[in-house]
Amino acid sequence: MTHAQNTPVPVGPTTTSQDVLAATLAALLPLGGGMLVMLGYSWLDIFGLILGIAGAAGWAYWWRNKHKSFFPKDLRGGSVGGIGALVAVIGILLFISL
């Protein structure tokens, strides 16, 4: 066996689109979680705050279980777009409630 056969195959570099999707996801998840907490507080005061924290934690738990990681190597635009749409809806509801 030669040296080339014993070395592991290196994983190729990530593409620019994957980096953009990961950066977008890194911005949207905490923003959406925080807005969900604020929405719960604006609707139901302290009880809503607790529900918002539970909802944000459940959202993070669901995302991690679905993708096996917070930032999977093969992000899809549909997943990040869905998170973006969800954050937009939460933002609209928060804007209306304030």
Side-chain angles (χ1 to χ4, degrees):
M1 291 178 102
T2 64
H3 178 67
Q5 292 173 343
N6 291 334
T7 58
V9 176
V11 177
T14 60
T15 62
T16 305
S17 64
Q18 287 293 312
D19 291 342
V20 169
L21 287 173
T24 304
L25 182 66
L28 286 177
L29 283 177
L31 175 68
M35 286 178 20
L36 190 60
V37 171
M38 288 186 346
L39 182 65
Y41 183 71
S42 69
W43 281 359
L44 300 172
D45 290 326
I46 296 299
F47 182 67
L49 180 79
I50 294 168
L51 287 177
I53 291 170
W59 183 19
Y61 179 77
W62 169 80
W63 177 266
R64 176 140 169 103
N65 279 344
K66 181 179 179 197
H67 295 284
K68 307 295 185 231
S69 167
F70 279 111
F71 299 104
K73 292 181 181 180
D74 57 344
L75 277 172
R76 298 181 190 253
S79 294
V80 178
I83 295 292
L86 184 62
V87 169
V89 168
I90 293 170
I92 290 169
L93 289 173
L94 183 63
F95 180 75
I96 290 171
S97 67
L98 295 178

